[in-house]
Amino acid sequence: MIRPMSPETDTRTRILATAREMFHSRSYADVGIQEICDGAKVQKGSFYHFFPSKQGLALAVIDIVADEWAQGFVAEAFDQNLPPVERLDYLIDAAYYWQMASRDIDGRMPGCLFGNLALEMSTRDDVMRAKLNAIFDKAKAKFRATLEEAVRTGAMAALDTEATAAAMLAYLEGIILLAKTRNNPDVILTLGPAIKTLRIELRH
Amino acid sequence: MIRPMSPETDTRTRILATAREMFHSRSYADVGIQEICDGAKVQKGSFYHFFPSKQGLALAVIDIVADEWAQGFVAEAFDQNLPPVERLDYLIDAAYYWQMASRDIDGRMPGCLFGNLALEMSTRDDVMRAKLNAIFDKAKAKFRATLEEAVRTGAMAALDTEATAAAMLAYLEGIILLAKTRNNPDVILTLGPAIKTLRIELRH
DNA sequence: GCTTGACTTGACCGACCGGTCTAGTATGAT
DNA sequence: ATCATACTAGACCGGTCGGTCAAGTCAAGC
């Protein structure tokens, strides 16, 4: 039942894109459904045809951004032919340019959508918390694979790759948090490279 | 942990304490003034006698918590007679126990009030952003002093104390973010000690 | 006793919240 | 042609939002 140029895809996509930007640059609670509908040039009735609730929309937005992430700059940073340790530098650069690009009209840094939602929603919505947690786990796995390769090739001394990967993810989120609070993306460039110094030793 | 406060305590104090707990365990937007008034056993009119607005209340809450922080466990962690490097371990422990203690009835981790508010409000309220930024700067200064002492005593090789202090603060906030998303304070203990491995070298 | 000013009470405001519902349009399948 | 279904339109719902206000209570200062 696939219709060419189906208005479904169009409308749904428009809602998703509008919501995504608004949630990212503001917050979940601060953005209303009416506002999203206005921005997407869609009526309320259409919105609730495609999404069961505001929460459902947010879940869908998270999925989309996570996919885009995984296939976009994260994949680039992690899957290219650079030596593993240099991939971390590449990732920091990518994070910087991504933040620069997604600054809003007034030049404000939106930060990381996942980090933003995690802190806003974790105590309020366990479904969302679990979803964000899963995304963080995937990101951690990327770090871990990089670390394992680095250890294998001798670029890094043996360490607890699982824990260190989590530490690096935490550090990345922390840097973005600080950069957003300072409203200064340069923080990412200044602090980012130190991600390579993080180490958690293997327990014996 | 949200219990009505006894009407005997000072009204302003009751409002502040109630708001503090609610903002910390939920979010700014999710907590209404009426709800705060109910929790504090205060009428709306009294609320607006003591505070000009919801924003004004939040600013006051931030001040109070920042003071308590500075004089409480942060001061303990940083100002005692431990060798500087061990102070960092002490700080991680303190953060862990603090998070354990402030878990709500359902066992949810509230995370760091400042980090929570920073991500929720930075793009919406520049006054709040600036205030939170100043608090982070103060925290950074504590890290820096510790690092300088560590370098002076030879416990650490010379490094960029200013940048490394910021990195440590970012890492701490990142750890708490991750722990909150996982709803597992143990993350702090697992990842925390690696804060000592963070290094940003001096630029020549 | 009277006044002043800090504090309290609770009704009230317009705006907006997330969400529902009915009516209607457009399209593809039969 | 007709029917089912996908989608749209937008009025409407009860409730809550942050904030205002007029009318008090009460204790200290004169």
Side-chain angles (χ1 to χ4, degrees):
Chain A
M1 206 174 281
I2 294 158
R3 272 172 282 151
M5 268 316 269
S6 156
E8 170 186 338
T9 346
D10 207 32
T11 302
R12 208 186 118 95
T13 306
R14 242 160 43 227
I15 294 171
L16 247 9
T18 308
R20 177 211 170 134
E21 185 169 356
M22 286 180 174
F23 285 153
H24 190 192
S25 66
R26 315 247 290 285
S27 74
Y28 179 80
D30 195 44
V31 176
I33 288 177
Q34 189 57 60
E35 195 182 356
I36 293 170
C37 290
D38 291 348
K41 300 260 188 281
V42 158
Q43 298 296 332
K44 262 255 184 86
S46 298
F47 176 91
Y48 279 100
H49 173 76
F50 290 105
F51 301 97
S53 63
K54 189 185 183 183
Q55 191 223 31
L57 168 69
L59 258 18
V61 167
I62 292 172
D63 273 334
I64 283 206
V65 178
D67 274 6
E68 207 182 281
W69 241 44
Q71 293 163 17
F73 88 89
V74 170
E76 272 180 46
F78 280 115
D79 288 337
Q80 62 178 14
N81 293 334
L82 281 174
V85 178
E86 288 176 34
R87 273 179 230 167
L88 296 173
D89 285 324
Y90 190 96
L91 179 78
I92 295 298
D93 271 5
Y96 170 74
Y97 286 114
W98 170 54
Q99 282 297 313
M100 288 295 278
S102 48
R103 285 203 291 186
D104 68 16
I105 317 173
D106 306 321
R108 289 194 212 88
M109 267 192 63
C112 169
L113 175 67
F114 305 127
N116 295 351
L117 287 176
L119 290 197
E120 183 182 359
M121 305 299 292
S122 281
T123 55
R124 277 175 64 191
D125 186 324
D126 220 56
V127 176
M128 217 173 287
R129 207 206 87 241
K131 195 169 202 97
L132 293 163
N133 195 21
I135 289 170
F136 284 150
D137 271 344
K138 273 197 169 182
K140 185 184 64 182
K142 295 273 192 184
F143 276 110
R144 185 178 185 176
T146 301
L147 288 171
E148 273 166 0
E149 194 179 328
V151 170
R152 208 182 314 123
T153 61
M156 285 179 112
L159 43 61
D160 186 336
T161 55
E162 172 72 11
T164 305
M168 287 180 169
L169 175 61
Y171 185 54
L172 179 60
E173 285 292 333
I175 287 173
I176 295 173
L177 183 154
L178 217 58
K180 178 173 178 174
T181 310
R182 289 222 197 299
N183 195 28
N184 180 9
D186 292 347
V187 170
I188 299 174
L189 290 185
T190 311
L191 305 186
I195 198 174
K196 302 188 299 293
T197 68
L198 274 170
R199 283 188 62 88
I200 297 179
E201 305 300 331
L202 284 162
R203 270 163 304 185
H204 319 283
Chain B
M1 244 203 234
I2 293 161
R3 63 196 172 282
M5 300 207 54
S6 98
E8 286 157 30
T9 7
D10 181 52
T11 301
R12 204 186 121 96
T13 307
R14 253 183 297 139
I15 295 171
L16 246 10
T18 307
R20 176 210 170 137
E21 187 164 358
M22 287 180 175
F23 285 153
H24 190 191
S25 65
R26 315 247 292 284
S27 74
Y28 179 80
D30 194 44
V31 175
I33 289 178
Q34 188 57 60
E35 196 182 356
I36 294 170
C37 289
D38 291 348
K41 298 264 188 277
V42 158
Q43 300 297 332
K44 262 260 186 82
S46 297
F47 176 92
Y48 279 99
H49 173 76
F50 289 104
F51 301 97
S53 64
K54 188 184 184 185
Q55 190 223 30
L57 168 68
L59 258 18
V61 167
I62 292 172
D63 273 335
I64 282 205
V65 178
D67 274 6
E68 205 182 283
W69 241 44
Q71 293 163 17
F73 88 89
V74 170
E76 272 180 45
F78 280 115
D79 288 338
Q80 62 177 17
N81 292 334
L82 281 173
V85 179
E86 287 176 34
R87 272 178 230 168
L88 296 173
D89 284 324
Y90 190 95
L91 178 77
I92 295 298
D93 272 6
Y96 171 73
Y97 286 113
W98 170 55
Q99 282 297 313
M100 288 295 278
S102 50
R103 284 203 292 186
D104 68 14
I105 316 174
D106 305 320
R108 290 196 212 86
M109 267 193 62
C112 170
L113 174 67
F114 305 127
N116 296 351
L117 287 176
L119 290 197
E120 184 183 0
M121 304 300 291
S122 282
T123 56
R124 278 174 64 192
D125 186 323
D126 221 55
V127 176
M128 218 172 285
R129 208 206 87 241
K131 196 169 201 97
L132 293 162
N133 195 22
I135 289 170
F136 284 151
D137 271 344
K138 272 198 171 183
K140 185 184 64 181
K142 293 273 192 183
F143 276 109
R144 185 178 186 177
T146 301
L147 288 171
E148 274 167 0
E149 192 178 331
V151 170
R152 209 182 313 122
T153 61
M156 286 180 111
L159 42 62
D160 185 335
T161 55
E162 172 70 11
T164 305
M168 288 180 168
L169 175 61
Y171 184 54
L172 179 60
E173 285 292 334
I175 288 174
I176 295 173
L177 183 153
L178 217 59
K180 177 173 178 174
T181 310
R182 290 221 195 300
N183 195 27
N184 180 9
D186 292 347
V187 170
I188 299 173
L189 290 185
T190 311
L191 306 185
I195 198 173
K196 302 187 298 292
T197 68
L198 237 19
R199 283 188 61 90
I200 297 179
E201 305 299 330
L202 283 162
R203 270 162 303 187
H204 314 285

